[in-house]
């Protein structure tokens, strides 16, 4: 076992760097709820610039950003169209139902990326007395359940046009929008221009300890503030964590290309290990999914065997495993992890 645990379980595993901690310690703070926190206010402005939106609100988590957006866009009984792998369906404890009383209509885009035609086909008849009302389309960029796939801008524009023509709102879960933007070279603001609401997560590839920002027009963010209050997400001297977010935007955005290179290196290495199957070109960004095909093995067994040898990976299904690169793992760590995985399978 090597000395340091190499944690590829998720990009949420990175820890705040010394520079980030210093920015946090030095942050000027005030009462966020009274708009008196200068660091939070700077972050609000920075996000508006970055995304080309009128206003933004700082939140404790991306999950809360999704939940607030759904509440703001929808009324009881409305329907939200999303890919079947979406985080809002699979990883928010039924929040859309519990918090907003909405139905979700899952559709299946290859790798989590669906088209305008698919949305059109899923829209309900607005004149029906029986059907729920289609109110919101939610897209994830990159798609987490879709192997970290980046939305082509034209595909997103196609979805936006269908939504706009139908009078349906469009929301983007931007937990990894920064990865999408770095990979595709499409500006975050060009993606943002397609949607009515979107958010950025600071705790994924950007490497901050807490927080997300939801952005949209002034009216939407005004209402989002009410929902933030209702859900208990209003904070006080949150400049301490907003400083980490500002630091992350400045220092950790462009370097994501390194994570993508490391993920590609990991994918290629995995492809050479007997008992593992991986579709290398499908892994576009920092998420790496692979299948265990060695007879008698499950993903849980490999996860345990790697953990004992000092490498963290995650079981996604009984045979599928996810490994994620981030700023706390370097190329050498990837080589070590590949050796560990290979040894574990050979044992
Ligand atoms: C992590 C994640 C979220 C939730 O973000 P948190 O900040 O952890 O609450 C939402 N959507 C996607 C796609 C994610 O990967």
């Amino acid at each position: 076992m090597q000395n340091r645990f190499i944690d590829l379980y998720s990009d949420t595993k990175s820890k705040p760097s010394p520079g980030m901690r210093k920015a946090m310690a030095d942050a000027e703070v005030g009462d966020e709820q009274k708009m008196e926190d200068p660091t939070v206010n700077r972050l609000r402005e920075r996000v508006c610039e970055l995304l080309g939106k009128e206003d933004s609100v700082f939140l404790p988590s991306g999950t809360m950003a999704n939940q607030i957006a759904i509440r703001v866009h929808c009324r009881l009984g409305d329907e939200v169209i999303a890919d079947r792998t979406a985080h809002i369906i699979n990883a928010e404890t039924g929040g859309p139902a519990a918090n907003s009383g909405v139905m979700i209509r899952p559709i299946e885009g290859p790798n989590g990326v669906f088209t305008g035609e698919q949305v059109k086909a899923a829209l309900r008849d607005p004149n029906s007395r029986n059907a729920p009302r289609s109110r919101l389309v939610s897209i994830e960029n990159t798609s987490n359940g879709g192997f970290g796939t980046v939305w082509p801008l034209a595909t997103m524009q196609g979805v936006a046009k269908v939504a706009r023509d139908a009078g349906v709102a469009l929301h983007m879960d931007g937990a990894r929008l920064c990865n999408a933007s770095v990979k595709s070279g499409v500006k975050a603001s060009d993606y943002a221009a397609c949607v009515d609401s979107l958010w950025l997560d600071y705790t994924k590839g950007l490497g901050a300890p807490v927080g997300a920002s939801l952005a949209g027009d002034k009216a939407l963010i005004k209402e989002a503030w009410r929902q933030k209050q209702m859900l208990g997400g209003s904070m006080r001297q949150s400049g301490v964590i907003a400083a980490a977010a500002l630091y992350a935007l400045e220092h950790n955005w462009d370097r994501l290309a390194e994570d993508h290179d490391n993920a590609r290196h990991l994918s290629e290495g995995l492809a050479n290990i007997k008992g593992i199957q991986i579709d290398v070109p499908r892994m576009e960004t920092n998420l790496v999914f692979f299948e265990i095909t060695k007879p008698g093995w499950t993903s849980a067994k490999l996860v345990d065997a790697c953990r004992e040898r000092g490498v963290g990976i995650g079981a996604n299904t009984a045979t599928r495993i996810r490994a994620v690169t981030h700023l706390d793992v370097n190329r050498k760590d990837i080589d070590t992890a590949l050796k560990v995985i290979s040894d574990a399978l050979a044992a």
Side-chain angles (χ1 to χ4, degrees):
M1 172 163 166
Q2 82 287 343
N3 297 325
R4 186 170 65 85
F5 190 76
I6 297 170
D7 207 340
L8 299 170
Y9 177 81
S10 173
D11 45 9
T12 56
K13 291 290 185 175
S14 63
K15 296 184 179 157
S17 65
M20 181 177 280
R21 286 171 187 265
K22 169 135 191 7
M24 296 173 79
D26 292 348
E28 260 189 279
V29 297
D31 187 343
E32 174 213 84
Q33 291 186 31
K34 301 283 179 235
M35 309 302 264
E36 288 167 2
D37 190 301
T39 309
V40 171
N41 289 341
R42 262 205 298 137
L43 179 63
R44 288 175 41 233
E45 284 165 24
R46 181 73 195 98
V47 168
C48 291
E49 265 168 35
L50 190 64
L51 300 179
K53 291 294 186 198
E54 279 179 6
D55 204 357
S56 76
V57 58
F58 185 46
L59 298 170
S61 72
T63 299
M64 191 182 281
N66 275 335
Q67 294 305 315
I68 286 177
I70 293 168
R71 280 185 79 124
V72 171
H73 288 298
C74 299
R75 290 192 237 148
L76 295 177
D78 284 349
E79 197 163 65
V80 178
I81 296 169
D83 187 79
R84 68 180 178 85
T85 65
H87 198 277
I88 57 169
I89 299 179
N90 299 297
E92 300 188 12
T93 56
N99 292 322
S100 302
V102 295
M103 318 249 305
I104 298 198
R105 183 142 200 205
I107 58 176
E108 188 166 352
N111 305 331
V113 178
F114 49 80
T115 63
E117 285 84 72
Q118 283 183 281
V119 171
K120 198 180 263 175
L123 288 170
R124 303 289 190 169
D125 175 1
N127 298 314
S128 169
R129 207 181 256 182
N130 306 37
R133 185 179 279 134
S134 302
R135 180 78 76 174
L136 178 67
V137 177
S138 182
I139 63 191
E140 228 177 80
N141 191 21
T142 66
S143 165
N144 181 348
F147 313 104
T149 300
V150 178
W151 275 69
L153 183 60
T155 308
M156 196 181 290
Q157 286 166 337
V159 167
K161 180 165 185 342
V162 169
R164 205 178 318 111
D165 290 350
V168 168
L170 186 56
H171 170 70
M172 177 158 54
D173 172 333
R176 295 185 182 81
L177 179 62
C178 43
N179 297 85
S181 177
V182 165
K183 178 69 188 185
S184 63
V186 173
K187 281 196 293 204
S189 55
D190 288 338
Y191 282 126
C194 298
V195 302
D196 301 292
S197 57
L198 79 156
W199 58 272
L200 292 177
D201 209 329
Y202 302 115
T203 67
K204 301 286 167 76
L206 292 176
V210 201
S213 285
L214 176 68
D217 67 19
K218 282 205 160 69
L220 184 134
I221 296 303
K222 184 171 179 211
E223 189 54 30
W225 263 104
R226 290 185 58 81
Q227 300 300 334
K228 166 172 151 126
Q229 183 71 28
M230 191 185 287
L231 294 173
S234 286
M235 298 177 278
R236 296 296 183 187
Q237 286 74 29
S238 50
V240 171
I241 51 175
L246 278 164
Y247 183 94
L249 289 175
E250 192 176 334
H251 296 92
N252 295 344
W253 186 296
D254 294 330
R255 63 152 303 286
L256 290 168
E258 233 176 276
D259 295 347
H260 301 164
D261 287 348
N262 284 336
R264 178 49 57 93
H265 185 63
L266 177 62
S267 302
E268 287 168 354
L270 288 167
N272 291 326
I273 296 175
K274 218 171 152 237
I276 282 176
Q277 207 166 50
I278 178 167
D279 184 348
V280 175
R282 217 183 199 194
M283 309 306 150
E284 295 186 350
T285 53
N286 68 327
L287 310 181
V288 174
F289 292 81
F290 56 97
E291 294 285 329
I292 175 137
T293 53
K294 183 167 173 168
W297 281 68
T298 60
S299 50
K301 184 171 167 184
L302 183 62
V303 167
D304 288 346
C306 289
R307 174 160 292 278
E308 278 168 22
R309 290 169 166 82
V311 169
I313 50 179
N316 198 238
T317 68
T319 57
R320 183 185 295 159
I321 291 165
R322 192 185 77 162
V324 186
T325 58
H326 53 79
L327 79 177
D328 283 359
V329 288
N330 58 30
R331 181 60 67 106
K332 195 164 149 282
D333 295 331
I334 299 297
D335 286 328
T336 305
L338 282 166
K339 177 149 186 356
V340 162
I341 294 167
S342 175
D343 289 352
L345 267 174

